[in-house]
Amino acid sequence: MRHRSTVLAAALALACTGLQAQSTQAADQPDAAALRETANALFGPVPHRIEQVRGQQVTAAQVELGKSLWFEPRLSRSHVISCNTCHNVATGGADNVPTSIGHGWQKGPRNSPTVLNAVLNIAQFWDGRAEDLKEQAKGPVQASVEMNNTPERVEATLRSIPAYVEAFRKAFPGEREPVTFENMARALEAFETTLVTPDSRFDQFLAGKDSLDATELRGLSLFIDKGCASCHSGPNVGGQAYFPFGVVARPGADVLPAGDKGRFAVTQTASDEYVFRAAPLRNVELTAPYFHSGQVWDLHQAVAIMGSSQLGHELDAAEVEAIARFLKTLTGRQPQVTTPLLPPSTSTTPRPE
Amino acid sequence: MRHRSTVLAAALALACTGLQAQSTQAADQPDAAALRETANALFGPVPHRIEQVRGQQVTAAQVELGKSLWFEPRLSRSHVISCNTCHNVATGGADNVPTSIGHGWQKGPRNSPTVLNAVLNIAQFWDGRAEDLKEQAKGPVQASVEMNNTPERVEATLRSIPAYVEAFRKAFPGEREPVTFENMARALEAFETTLVTPDSRFDQFLAGKDSLDATELRGLSLFIDKGCASCHSGPNVGGQAYFPFGVVARPGADVLPAGDKGRFAVTQTASDEYVFRAAPLRNVELTAPYFHSGQVWDLHQAVAIMGSSQLGHELDAAEVEAIARFLKTLTGRQPQVTTPLLPPSTSTTPRPE
């Protein structure tokens, strides 16, 4: 559970502080200085670089190898699907369809989460079943509805290509057999640490600049005061803890399908039914459609649904608009990725199937 | 026909000149200077830049827009397939599977040709049915087994996204309605003019450097003397004219399926049965599997099949190896492409289907 209740309590306490700080201001004219202080306590900026994972330095050789693997369609059984297919760095780190299309045109069960800033999340997947990006990376490669591959076949593929053998040796020096499924995952994680989006207008605001207009400031204020920030907190404005979807009123089955009980599948605990990791909201304007079901295309509609289902507030149109405008200030500087040049297969490379 | 017979005659004449130039040398010790002169006459280097198409200057704004469209999955009905899916700039400009996988996981009828240096070809597609890259670009977007979209839907998609409207306006200034399917194709073509691969070791040799070793020189000599260069000529070492596959001996139905009569479908002329555009061989080491059927993975095997089916020569293992070694010197400097940042959809953007 990773101290879910502690995180929740802290977030709620901070949100209440926010409420108090705002209470002396007219609702439509938030005090920017007080709001900045509250926002810095609740969220914090996206870092410019992540240099370590699990206490270990990420090396340039690992990042470079990870970039090749990120775009490598031969990690899939078909040789057609790469990590970037569903987590496209050109489109907000996601695929912008309700649920991803995988091997054999099968549709996955949940909306593809963005890879951008994913390293900041408490855990990976909508239900947090992978504790970090290394573990996460092993999932889609093997999932039959995604890349439909096996660790053995991935290792055989990579070992058959001399340039990959050399790249793994450089990325994991001193290992007797560096070309492993585990190291594939480590390299992918290393590359993903570079996929952060700093310097959003919101982060400029946090740093003291007047980068938000009156509506955006009001949206931020509402986001805190109405309680959104109780769940969507931390530098990724979400991704920090788990909460039930439909805490006040359960949305329709189109948005919250009865067949997907979320984190219950991970913990087998009744209280985790329909519990999901709070969606990280950085770059949310780039990652429609929304929710784990991917059934809501409009950010305004998503905000309104959250208000009613999670907070019991029927937000009015002006409130929804202000919050949506604030959310669009969370779009940061997107990573500039030069596509790698992937080495050709050899006679021993397994063929696509 | 684009003067097919004239091109063929010229190529054969040049190949014969090559034969004469080589005839005074021992077969395994070609004279590099004479070979260079012959090779310059037969092939020529890949240019560093293509600045014009159809006599019109390609602009930076067109290239930039074209790059976005190249990686744009919303050109497909599913919002999952982009041009780059099947003509991947990370993997030699092709997809390295026998035939491409398209909408609904349908398999296309022919192997995906590389986009690299495609601008140098006499016409596009294996059967030359598109006279240039602009016309070619319209095909896969509409093909039901590929992107399965319509011009109307593409235009509606692009017009729904303000950043695209602005980019089309800059790329095609002065036009009343610049966001058209036709201009999509023009922009894609403009980007594709940048996907050339100059400075291969072969081109360095053509320019006077000693960049080929003895085996590679012998391979080049054999490539000319055995007659390969009769069809595979010009700067793209192919792509210049049409020839029957199986001119001497028809290969098996696995390699040359009876149901695909090639250029016959374009011209309805009996003599065009099983006629295809000679494959351009630049970067051929990156573009397996080979032939329009994509059924041959090994470059050596492809060379041997060409020898027997097209030239009536049973090339021995050393000859095949030397020719394959020469062909690998055709790998040029691959384009460095930074992935674009694609603008988000709006409420009026057609949804994926």
Side-chain angles (χ1 to χ4, degrees):
Chain A
M1 298 293 284
R2 290 213 168 205
H3 312 298
R4 171 185 146 198
S5 51
T6 316
V7 172
L8 177 56
L12 282 168
L14 283 164
C16 292
T17 311
L19 279 166
Q20 288 160 0
Q22 294 311 305
S23 63
T24 55
Q25 297 289 320
D28 57 349
Q29 291 179 314
D31 174 347
L35 197 52
R36 179 177 290 121
E37 191 179 335
T38 306
N40 266 304
L42 274 171
F43 309 108
V46 169
H48 280 72
R49 266 193 77 180
I50 306 287
E51 303 202 344
Q52 296 194 331
V53 288
R54 292 178 301 282
Q56 290 206 306
Q57 195 72 20
V58 172
T59 70
Q62 289 166 351
V63 170
E64 192 62 25
L65 169 59
K67 187 173 88 164
S68 290
L69 296 171
W70 180 260
F71 287 97
E72 181 53 84
R74 287 167 294 189
L75 294 189
S76 67
R77 183 173 294 268
S78 65
H79 288 200
V80 166
I81 302 169
S82 73
C83 304
N84 198 63
T85 301
C86 301
H87 305 282
N88 191 338
V89 293
T91 54
D95 55 7
N96 303 150
V97 294
T99 65
S100 296
I101 290 174
H103 192 86
W105 211 257
Q106 295 174 90
K107 291 192 178 170
R110 292 182 189 146
N111 182 254
S112 175
T114 179
V115 68
L116 301 178
N117 309 306
V119 65
L120 303 176
N121 294 334
I122 188 173
Q124 303 301 326
F125 294 116
W126 278 95
D127 54 16
R129 68 184 182 274
E131 66 175 347
D132 53 30
L133 286 167
K134 175 170 73 68
E135 289 310 304
Q136 188 278 331
K138 300 173 185 173
V141 176
Q142 298 180 80
S144 61
V145 300
E146 300 184 57
M147 297 165 89
N148 194 28
N149 216 337
T150 63
E152 296 70 28
R153 199 179 148 89
V154 167
E155 290 176 353
T157 298
L158 297 170
R159 286 174 188 161
S160 74
I161 299 169
Y164 270 125
V165 173
E166 182 59 21
F168 272 87
R169 196 167 285 146
K170 282 184 182 161
F172 304 103
E175 296 191 17
R176 202 181 55 80
E177 175 45 275
V179 189
T180 62
F181 192 65
E182 176 77 9
N183 282 347
M184 169 209 76
R186 287 172 68 193
L188 283 167
E189 177 182 52
F191 173 63
E192 290 174 300
T193 66
T194 70
L195 301 179
V196 288
T197 64
D199 296 332
S200 67
R201 287 199 294 120
F202 177 60
D203 285 2
Q204 293 170 28
F205 168 77
L206 292 179
K209 291 190 186 158
D210 290 334
S211 51
L212 305 189
D213 69 22
T215 306
E216 292 159 350
L217 286 173
R218 176 158 151 72
L220 168 57
S221 181
L222 285 164
F223 189 81
I224 297 169
D225 294 354
K226 294 288 185 184
C228 313
S230 303
C231 298
H232 297 279
S233 61
N236 217 0
V237 194
Q240 299 304 300
Y242 306 97
F243 303 96
F245 192 1
V247 68
V248 176
R250 191 167 287 178
D254 51 335
V255 172
L256 184 64
D260 184 351
K261 294 196 175 173
R263 198 162 161 77
F264 174 76
V266 181
T267 65
Q268 302 295 321
T269 303
S271 61
D272 276 336
E273 284 197 355
Y274 302 106
V275 163
F276 295 88
R277 193 191 60 186
L281 299 182
R282 292 282 180 178
N283 308 293
V284 71
E285 75 169 317
L286 305 178
T287 62
Y290 302 113
F291 304 131
H292 65 287
S293 55
Q295 288 302 307
V296 174
W297 284 89
D298 181 55
L299 184 55
H300 293 74
Q301 190 188 348
V303 169
I305 289 172
M306 285 279 101
S308 56
S309 69
Q310 303 300 94
L311 303 168
H313 293 305
E314 295 298 327
L315 299 168
D316 66 34
E319 290 171 328
V320 167
E321 169 67 12
I323 291 172
R325 288 276 302 280
F326 156 65
L327 292 175
K328 291 183 181 183
T329 73
L330 298 174
T331 304
R333 196 176 68 237
Q334 304 295 296
Q336 294 282 305
V337 181
T338 303
T339 55
L341 302 175
L342 303 178
S345 295
T346 66
S347 60
T348 58
T349 307
R351 303 290 177 227
E353 288 175 6
Chain B
M1 295 296 285
R2 289 214 166 204
H3 312 296
R4 172 186 146 198
S5 50
T6 315
V7 172
L8 178 55
L12 282 168
L14 283 165
C16 292
T17 311
L19 279 166
Q20 288 160 1
Q22 295 311 306
S23 61
T24 55
Q25 297 289 319
D28 56 349
Q29 290 178 316
D31 173 347
L35 197 51
R36 178 177 292 122
E37 191 179 334
T38 306
N40 267 304
L42 275 171
F43 309 108
V46 170
H48 280 72
R49 264 194 79 180
I50 306 287
E51 303 202 345
Q52 296 194 331
V53 287
R54 292 177 301 284
Q56 290 206 304
Q57 194 72 21
V58 172
T59 70
Q62 289 166 351
V63 170
E64 193 61 25
L65 170 59
K67 187 173 90 166
S68 289
L69 295 171
W70 180 260
F71 288 96
E72 181 51 86
R74 286 168 295 188
L75 294 189
S76 67
R77 183 172 294 269
S78 65
H79 288 200
V80 166
I81 302 169
S82 72
C83 305
N84 199 62
T85 301
C86 301
H87 305 281
N88 192 338
V89 294
T91 54
D95 54 7
N96 302 151
V97 295
T99 64
S100 296
I101 290 175
H103 192 87
W105 210 257
Q106 295 174 89
K107 292 192 179 171
R110 293 182 188 146
N111 182 254
S112 175
T114 178
V115 68
L116 301 178
N117 309 307
V119 66
L120 303 177
N121 294 334
I122 188 173
Q124 303 301 325
F125 294 117
W126 279 96
D127 54 16
R129 67 184 182 275
E131 65 175 347
D132 54 30
L133 286 167
K134 174 171 73 70
E135 289 311 304
Q136 187 279 330
K138 299 173 186 172
V141 176
Q142 299 180 79
S144 61
V145 300
E146 299 185 55
M147 297 165 91
N148 194 28
N149 215 338
T150 63
E152 296 70 30
R153 200 181 147 88
V154 167
E155 290 176 353
T157 298
L158 297 171
R159 287 175 189 161
S160 75
I161 299 168
Y164 270 124
V165 174
E166 183 60 20
F168 272 86
R169 197 167 286 147
K170 283 184 182 163
F172 304 102
E175 297 192 14
R176 202 181 57 79
E177 175 47 274
V179 189
T180 62
F181 192 65
E182 176 77 10
N183 281 346
M184 170 210 76
R186 287 172 67 193
L188 284 167
E189 177 182 53
F191 173 63
E192 289 173 301
T193 66
T194 69
L195 301 180
V196 287
T197 64
D199 297 332
S200 66
R201 287 199 294 118
F202 177 59
D203 284 2
Q204 293 170 29
F205 168 76
L206 292 179
K209 291 191 186 157
D210 290 333
S211 50
L212 304 189
D213 69 22
T215 306
E216 291 159 351
L217 286 173
R218 175 159 152 71
L220 168 57
S221 181
L222 286 165
F223 189 81
I224 296 169
D225 295 354
K226 294 288 184 183
C228 312
S230 304
C231 299
H232 297 279
S233 62
N236 217 0
V237 194
Q240 299 305 299
Y242 305 95
F243 304 95
F245 192 1
V247 67
V248 176
R250 191 168 287 179
D254 51 335
V255 172
L256 184 64
D260 185 351
K261 295 196 176 172
R263 196 162 163 78
F264 174 75
V266 181
T267 64
Q268 302 297 320
T269 303
S271 61
D272 276 337
E273 283 197 357
Y274 302 107
V275 163
F276 295 89
R277 194 191 59 187
L281 298 181
R282 292 281 180 178
N283 308 294
V284 70
E285 75 168 315
L286 305 178
T287 61
Y290 302 114
F291 303 132
H292 64 287
S293 56
Q295 289 301 308
V296 174
W297 284 90
D298 181 54
L299 184 56
H300 293 74
Q301 190 187 348
V303 169
I305 289 173
M306 284 280 100
S308 55
S309 68
Q310 303 300 95
L311 304 168
H313 292 303
E314 293 300 325
L315 300 168
D316 68 31
E319 289 171 329
V320 168
E321 169 67 12
I323 292 173
R325 288 276 303 280
F326 157 64
L327 292 175
K328 291 183 181 181
T329 73
L330 297 175
T331 304
R333 195 175 68 236
Q334 303 296 297
Q336 293 282 305
V337 181
T338 302
T339 55
L341 302 174
L342 303 177
S345 294
T346 67
S347 61
T348 58
T349 307
R351 302 291 177 227
E353 287 174 8

